[in-house]
Amino acid sequence: MAHRNLLYLLSLKELRTRYKKSVLGWAWSLLNPLSQMLIFTVIFKYVFKQNPLPGDPSGLRNFPLYFLAGLLPYNFFAITVGVSMGAVQGGASLIKKVQFPHEHLVFSVVIAQFVTLMIELAILTAALLLAGSMVLPWLPVMLAVMCMLALFTTGVALVLAAANVFYHDVNYLWSIVSQLLFYATPIIYFPQAISLRPLVLLANYGPTGSFITAAHNIMYDHRVPSAGRLLELVVLGFGMFFIGVWVFNRLSPKFAEEM
Amino acid sequence: MSDIALEVSHLTKNFRLHSEKTNSIKQLIAARGRNRFAEFTALDDVSFTVHEGEVFGVIGQNGSGKSTLLKCMAGILQPNSGWVKVHKRMSALLELGAGFHPELSGRDNIFLNAAILGMGRREIAARFDEIVEFSGLESFIDAPVKTYSSGMYVRLAFAVAINVDPRLLIVDEILAVGDVTFQQRCLEKFVEFRNDGRTIVLVTHDLGSVKNMCDRAIWLTHGKITGEGDPSDLVEAYTEMMLGNRNRDVDGRVRRGSGELQISSVELFVGDNPEPVKRFRTSDSIRLRLNYQATKPVPKPIFGFEIQSLGGATVTAPCTRDVGLIPEMVSGEGHIDIEMDSVGLLPGTYDIHTTVTDFNRQHEYDNVHLALRFDVMSGKPYETGALVTMRPQWTIS
């Protein structure tokens, strides 16, 4: 791959500059999901007086861990797509002056965010172990699922980042859509506990629903997702990735003129 | 015929001129069906070929399509029709330091910038020391570039760009960066490039560098090539055209500038002869007198002149700032005498151009093209083939 070095250095830049000039630095990337987790736990446990469903077959009954298992992958997806749009838009000065593969602006964001996700998942793993839940044997499957999620995310990011160059509405639209998607994804509820038909379908078979359900299966229930589910994830991952690359390659030669 | 480094064939590039750019979907829908835009042709059927080892100049006024051509050559813009073929490793320097990140150190930025320009990791590592040395920023290399002065920033950027080691270098007006010493170093690097037999495409307003450096040039007007060939002829024709709307004074000399302070005449004296002359011999001692006139007091003016051969080569171009002769204020009339002992000009016809500028050489009070034309007749030593003698002492053993 040409410009592999560029990709490496751009990713490194993305990681190094993210929390420059902040005292807590990297801790911020963790504080965000932790505070979300805290809010949801308080709301469901003490306001709505709900009890978490047990993990099957893990038997785990724990709101915070359930929330985190879904939040971390979902945040990776939503943040990466949002930041990618900004990275391409922010790369305008570069795009207008230098010829280089523009997709690397997106790839480097994905890589940097994926590194963050891995760190966050490592901490979740530690928390699960502390809660007495032996999650280690399931981690390879989780890694594979997260790789598919990364491919899927890259595809979405490529399409939206390219579209955003032409119409900045995409950016604003995304902040709404990503919020709606958050609630249409079983992150703060158990999919088996809801009855609203469209939401059940979306939660079970929607793209983000599928990824998050698989993450819950692995990290909370401790079982390998069904073969059908895994197949869906592979198709989603590669399918979206190739669509993204195709769209981006079609549009990127016009970036310099449009910016 | 040498190898072809760059081919441009029937290149045409149009831009849409939106009255207001539709960058939101609402505007797009509102404008649907009556999507009016004017089409503007920035490049119109431009074709040329640059051979390896050539220094190729592109001149033209603002808006003539120079930048568009450059961006098409660099692969940044896609032409509407026609094509560009680059046969050598190319580096296009459109802007220095594009992609520098202020929070990263100079070291990290060198790696990042070089990677953006297409260099591999090992290649950068191998050239790293050279880049740092060229920039002269050894002691600041681990500081974030946001702490750099703008001069340091540009020096680092240029050092990276020039060390990408291209066989074909496309340059846009960047010779005019940094302080005088750094400019000198850049110029040396370009000469080194040229002497290495590398190809340079120079897109510039600076006619002097086109004349001095280029082997061939094209002249763009409104996106079309209006002239191609010898840079001197082209620059002359171009200047003629550009000067067409400038003032000509009573003697038919071309003059520009704001006019508060003008050189009214230039006189040439030889030896003790009190009468001005228009010719002298090689090794004569001469005195130039620049008579000036100020309509109002002008602070700290810089006077300069340039001696040019008929062929357009600049022999010398000193100014009063070079010697630190800076009057606090000049008013009324007066003259400046310049003594030059045993002038080593060889026989030929020469022209003197004069300039008066402000201290920063930014504002031009006066600029007279062809203030005086004089002839040099043969004297001692006698030489042929060039403009200036170094008074060589030959011994053969």
Side-chain angles (χ1 to χ4, degrees):
Chain A
M1 191 161 98
H3 281 82
R4 208 174 44 212
N5 179 38
L6 172 62
L7 182 57
Y8 166 75
L9 289 165
L10 277 176
S11 312
L12 206 62
K13 179 202 100 173
E14 201 65 40
L15 284 168
R16 278 198 194 158
T17 56
R18 193 181 312 157
Y19 295 108
K20 275 264 157 106
K21 278 209 133 179
S22 70
V23 180
L24 290 182
W26 276 83
W28 283 115
S29 79
L30 214 61
L31 284 174
N32 198 23
L34 282 180
S35 71
Q36 276 179 291
M37 181 269 287
L38 199 71
I39 293 165
F40 296 134
T41 306
V42 169
I43 289 177
F44 285 99
K45 204 160 181 176
Y46 301 104
V47 180
F48 294 146
K49 309 231 187 283
Q50 298 269 316
N51 278 320
L53 294 181
D56 170 26
S58 69
L60 205 64
R61 271 178 181 275
N62 190 314
F63 264 138
L65 293 178
Y66 180 82
F67 291 154
L68 276 182
L71 266 174
L72 299 181
Y74 184 83
N75 281 352
F76 161 74
F77 167 73
I79 292 173
T80 303
V81 173
V83 174
S84 292
M85 284 189 263
V88 173
Q89 195 60 44
S93 63
L94 208 53
I95 289 171
K96 282 196 281 190
K97 298 289 178 189
V98 193
Q99 188 209 17
F100 71 104
H102 301 152
E103 60 271 23
H104 282 12
L105 290 172
V106 172
F107 291 162
S108 61
V109 171
V110 176
I111 290 172
Q113 293 291 342
F114 196 74
V115 171
T116 317
L117 174 66
M118 287 299 114
I119 295 170
E120 290 168 353
L121 286 178
I123 292 169
L124 175 63
T125 303
L128 280 164
L129 291 175
L130 279 177
S133 168
M134 191 54 202
V135 71
L136 293 181
W138 309 99
L139 289 184
V141 190
M142 185 62 179
L143 185 63
V145 168
M146 289 302 103
C147 286
M148 288 304 116
L149 175 64
L151 282 178
F152 175 77
T153 305
T154 310
V156 175
L158 284 171
V159 171
L160 295 188
N164 185 52
V165 172
F166 298 89
Y167 299 104
H168 297 332
D169 305 62
V170 176
N171 197 355
Y172 305 114
L173 208 59
W174 176 248
S175 55
I176 297 173
V177 169
S178 67
Q179 240 180 60
L180 292 177
L181 218 50
F182 178 85
Y183 293 104
T185 305
I187 298 168
I188 53 168
Y189 51 83
F190 291 83
Q192 57 270 44
I194 50 169
S195 52
L196 187 64
R197 191 78 190 132
L199 200 57
V200 173
L201 280 176
L202 212 54
N204 278 317
Y205 303 104
T208 51
S210 287
F211 279 108
I212 300 308
T213 305
H216 282 144
N217 284 164
I218 299 163
M219 301 300 275
Y220 192 72
D221 300 334
H222 297 347
R223 63 183 155 95
V224 177
S226 69
R229 171 81 66 209
L230 289 179
L231 184 69
E232 188 193 345
L233 299 187
V234 171
V235 171
L236 277 174
F238 283 100
M240 196 61 225
F241 180 75
F242 287 117
I243 291 173
V245 168
W246 185 81
V247 169
F248 197 89
N249 283 342
R250 293 278 301 218
L251 295 177
S252 73
K254 302 193 185 93
F255 282 1
E257 207 169 318
E258 201 63 35
M259 285 176 138
Chain B
M1 187 55 86
S2 53
D3 282 354
I4 288 169
L6 175 77
E7 276 177 281
V8 173
S9 173
H10 302 289
L11 200 67
T12 298
K13 177 72 190 168
N14 300 318
F15 286 111
R16 288 175 175 190
L17 296 177
H18 298 282
S19 50
E20 199 180 327
K21 243 179 146 188
T22 42
N23 258 352
S24 83
I25 288 170
K26 188 183 139 205
Q27 287 167 19
L28 180 76
I29 293 166
R32 217 161 62 115
R34 50 189 182 85
N35 198 356
R36 306 179 202 147
F37 52 82
E39 196 120 292
F40 166 73
T41 307
L43 286 178
D44 190 0
D45 198 27
V46 170
S47 303
F48 60 89
T49 307
V50 180
H51 295 278
E52 196 175 13
E54 230 177 0
V55 181
F56 190 86
V58 179
I59 56 175
Q61 276 176 282
N62 286 333
S64 60
K66 288 195 311 274
S67 301
T68 309
L69 174 61
L70 189 80
K71 285 183 177 175
C72 285
M73 289 193 288
I76 294 165
L77 288 179
Q78 300 290 312
N80 292 81
S81 64
W83 45 261
V84 173
K85 264 190 201 152
V86 176
H87 297 276
K88 303 286 164 192
R89 173 170 172 161
M90 179 187 72
S91 172
L93 307 184
L94 272 72
E95 190 177 89
L96 290 172
F100 268 16
H101 196 289
E103 298 283 351
L104 291 178
S105 68
R107 180 186 302 276
D108 291 339
N109 269 307
I110 288 178
F111 276 90
L112 187 58
N113 207 235
I116 289 169
L117 296 175
M119 278 172 94
R121 195 162 173 66
R122 222 166 289 154
E123 212 180 342
I124 304 171
R127 290 180 162 271
F128 183 80
D129 290 339
E130 209 177 318
I131 294 172
V132 176
E133 205 232 295
F134 190 84
S135 72
L137 293 169
E138 286 90 345
S139 36
F140 304 98
I141 206 64
D142 287 310
V145 296
K146 66 174 177 184
T147 62
Y148 285 18
S149 72
S150 55
M152 289 159 76
Y153 189 90
V154 163
R155 264 151 65 193
L156 186 67
F158 188 81
V160 178
I162 203 72
N163 277 295
V164 172
D165 197 29
R167 296 299 305 174
L168 167 61
L169 186 69
I170 299 182
V171 196
D172 184 22
E173 306 279 5
I174 53 169
L175 287 166
V177 296
D179 55 18
V180 180
T181 31
F182 191 71
Q183 274 184 29
Q184 192 57 38
R185 252 200 291 181
C186 297
L187 206 59
E188 278 166 22
K189 197 78 189 181
F190 278 108
V191 172
E192 195 183 302
F193 252 66
R194 189 177 56 179
N195 295 346
D196 276 2
R198 302 181 201 219
T199 315
I200 304 175
V201 177
L202 199 62
V203 179
T204 183
H205 287 112
D206 182 16
L207 300 176
S209 57
V210 171
K211 224 149 85 172
N212 292 334
M213 293 188 62
C214 294
D215 305 311
R216 216 149 55 81
I218 56 169
W219 172 11
L220 282 182
T221 318
H222 301 307
K224 288 193 171 114
I225 296 184
T226 38
E228 176 167 7
D230 180 64
S232 295
D233 298 346
L234 218 54
V235 165
E236 202 143 302
Y238 178 76
T239 339
E240 198 90 321
M241 196 274 293
M242 295 286 283
L243 297 183
N245 38 17
R246 289 201 310 203
N247 304 326
R248 283 175 187 273
D249 68 5
V250 279
D251 300 329
R253 291 175 303 203
V254 180
R255 172 182 288 263
R256 63 168 188 233
S258 55
E260 301 96 304
L261 177 55
Q262 289 192 326
I263 299 294
S264 48
S265 62
V266 176
E267 289 169 303
L268 173 67
F269 300 93
V270 176
D272 298 329
N273 186 352
E275 290 299 314
V277 296
K278 292 216 165 171
R279 60 180 56 178
F280 61 87
R281 291 181 184 279
T282 305
S283 291
D284 276 351
S285 292
I286 63 167
R287 179 158 52 92
L288 272 183
R289 171 167 290 183
L290 312 183
N291 294 306
Y292 65 78
Q293 237 176 341
T295 52
K296 61 177 188 184
V298 171
K300 291 194 177 177
I302 304 294
F303 296 91
F305 70 92
E306 185 177 341
I307 298 181
Q308 249 185 11
S309 73
L310 270 191
T314 301
V315 180
T316 181
C319 72
T320 50
R321 198 166 85 163
D322 296 341
V323 290
L325 183 69
I326 297 145
E328 275 307 316
M329 192 70 79
V330 165
S331 57
E333 290 185 15
H335 61 254
I336 299 145
D337 279 343
I338 305 132
E339 303 267 1
M340 286 175 278
D341 280 346
S342 53
V343 172
L345 280 180
L346 291 172
T349 302
Y350 297 87
D351 289 318
I352 293 180
H353 313 308
T354 61
T355 61
V356 188
T357 65
D358 71 346
F359 183 72
N360 298 317
R361 311 227 65 177
Q362 294 295 316
H363 178 77
E364 213 164 43
Y365 295 117
D366 188 36
N367 177 316
V368 184
H369 197 69
L370 298 187
L372 183 73
R373 175 167 282 185
F374 63 88
D375 296 311
V376 177
M377 296 170 299
S378 63
K380 273 188 183 169
Y382 176 73
E383 278 177 38
T384 51
L387 301 172
V388 178
T389 176
M390 297 290 160
R391 300 194 174 78
Q393 304 290 326
W394 302 76
T395 27
I396 298 176
S397 46

